[in-house]
Amino acid sequence: MSDLPRRRALALMVSLPAAALASCALNRTNPRADTHPLDPKAPAAADGAPAPGAQPAQLSPQTSGWKAGPGEVLPEVKQTATAFIESAGTWRTARGVQASSEGSGAVPQAPLTASILEVPGAESSSVQVVYPQYGGITTDTAAVIVLFDQQLRGPGGITSRQLALDVRLLRRAGGMWEVDRINPPTSLGSAVPLSAAATEVLTDRRIRLSSPAQTDVNTGRVDEQILQILLGLAEDYELGIQVIHTGHIQTVFPTSRVSNHAVGRAVDIREIDGKTVIDPTMSPSVLARFMQRASELGATEVGGPFDLNAERKGFFTDDVHQDHIHIGVTPGDPLAHLR
């Protein structure tokens, strides 16, 4: 299940000197999976999109292009979610999402919720998953925030876009997981003038925003304190942002309580200095110092692979937060703190 040795190392990490808490050397390698595999018997375009007349492969969780690495919690959940996105997002106009999703580990109604993967005028599509992040896990339900690149071929040539989708799963009686639906994407609202901090976040090369997160910041509606926290962290680290609002669950899973993500007051970070949070070689001391620094910059809630202050409010951990650092701000709450 979760990476328990990290938690056991907590007492040591908090007491480490500043030199030992220095960030890792930069690694700009993108840890994305290989291009979505197509039918090996069919011709494929050099760019990875299905060639005209090619039949896209129907992927199952076992043959998905994205593979879970060491340390992942319930990897079969993420594998099922990504297989569905890959299959539903790899199609030709004659087939579309419905036909492409057959055998991908989903209930029959699930493809009906995946219309966002079809674009009018596009002749074919292929998908490459960047990273699936947990949004919630219970005994028999789960949510995975799948960030992926989609390449579309049409009469005017090839275009691409990056999306983050909230994929919901159910556990069947036999223990197997299947995709139940994709929740419709939401927006922070119409754009308002950008603050100086928002403009700086958008242009800071050490803050690598996913396209959905960039869209959120461009609305001018992301909380000012969250923007300041990102700028402060970027002074010491290179950040890989998975999601802010768009594509994230709008409630605290599995409750109906509104999430800080829903109102632009939270951000999820999947990479620090080019290395994923879940990577077994990620230094626990780097993670501990990163989480503590987020608090010092103004975060009232910091979730990650371990809890820095036990039963007290502020820092927290669970299986969901083994693969990312959650940073949030709740007005009126005290800063997350160690004492």
Side-chain angles (χ1 to χ4, degrees):
M1 293 295 286
S2 57
D3 197 0
L4 293 178
R6 293 182 181 178
R7 302 181 191 179
R8 297 191 186 107
L10 176 57
L12 172 62
M13 291 182 294
V14 175
S15 63
L16 287 174
L21 292 171
S23 62
C24 302
L26 292 183
N27 175 4
R28 297 181 183 277
T29 302
N30 189 340
R32 297 182 182 182
D34 292 336
T35 302
H36 181 296
L38 304 176
D39 185 341
K41 298 179 182 179
D47 51 42
Q55 291 291 333
Q58 294 174 0
L59 295 187
S60 70
Q62 291 71 37
T63 58
S64 168
W66 181 85
K67 299 299 181 185
E72 290 281 2
V73 176
L74 291 178
E76 62 272 24
V77 172
K78 288 190 177 183
Q79 210 69 66
T80 300
T82 54
F84 177 72
I85 291 295
E86 288 172 323
S87 287
T90 300
W91 48 264
R92 291 189 305 110
T93 304
R95 290 173 57 82
V97 167
Q98 184 73 40
S100 297
S101 304
E102 296 171 0
S104 63
V107 301
Q109 297 79 15
L112 299 177
T113 69
S115 60
I116 189 173
L117 294 170
E118 293 185 323
V119 177
E123 299 166 350
S124 66
S125 166
S126 63
V127 157
Q128 180 177 353
V129 171
V130 176
Y131 190 71
Q133 173 193 301
Y134 273 121
I137 308 171
T138 68
T139 302
D140 53 10
T141 63
V144 179
I145 302 163
V146 182
L147 179 68
F148 61 94
D149 296 322
Q150 183 178 25
Q151 189 177 84
L152 299 154
R153 182 188 297 274
I158 297 173
T159 59
S160 61
R161 62 179 181 168
Q162 189 175 81
L163 300 175
L165 295 179
D166 172 11
V167 181
R168 299 301 177 95
L169 300 94
L170 301 172
R171 192 197 293 266
R172 293 191 297 231
M176 297 292 292
W177 288 88
E178 61 185 1
V179 172
D180 178 55
R181 68 186 187 279
I182 295 176
N183 274 354
T186 57
S187 168
L188 279 172
S190 56
V192 298
L194 296 182
S195 67
T199 300
E200 192 172 352
V201 165
L202 289 168
T203 56
D204 192 323
R205 297 184 65 179
R206 292 176 63 81
I207 302 175
R208 295 185 293 106
L209 297 164
S210 66
S211 290
Q214 185 176 41
T215 296
D216 293 334
V217 178
N218 267 314
T219 67
R221 294 182 179 275
V222 174
D223 182 79
E224 190 72 9
Q225 187 63 53
I226 287 293
L227 298 173
Q228 293 293 347
I229 291 171
L230 290 177
L231 291 171
L233 289 169
E235 293 179 2
D236 300 309
Y237 308 93
E238 185 178 82
L239 314 176
I241 309 302
Q242 175 86 356
V243 66
I244 296 177
H245 168 89
T246 302
H248 198 279
I249 301 168
Q250 299 302 290
T251 57
V252 179
F253 191 93
T255 74
S256 59
R257 179 163 59 89
V258 175
S259 165
N260 271 326
H261 285 280
V263 290
R265 293 199 303 259
V267 59
D268 287 344
I269 298 170
R270 74 171 183 279
E271 292 178 3
I272 301 170
D273 291 337
K275 185 176 291 188
T276 57
V277 170
I278 195 70
D279 190 325
T281 66
M282 169 62 81
S283 167
S285 63
V286 169
L287 291 175
R289 179 64 188 132
F290 185 90
M291 293 169 68
Q292 184 175 346
R293 183 62 182 141
S295 167
E296 295 167 355
L297 290 166
T300 65
E301 55 191 42
V302 183
F306 33 72
D307 186 346
L308 294 181
N309 65 355
E311 72 281 356
R312 288 167 293 188
K313 291 184 62 176
F315 296 102
F316 65 93
T317 189
D318 52 29
D319 283 342
V320 173
H321 292 86
Q322 298 300 304
D323 65 2
H324 68 281
I325 305 295
H326 165 92
I327 297 171
V329 175
T330 298
D333 279 4
L335 300 186
H337 57 88
L338 296 177
R339 298 178 179 83

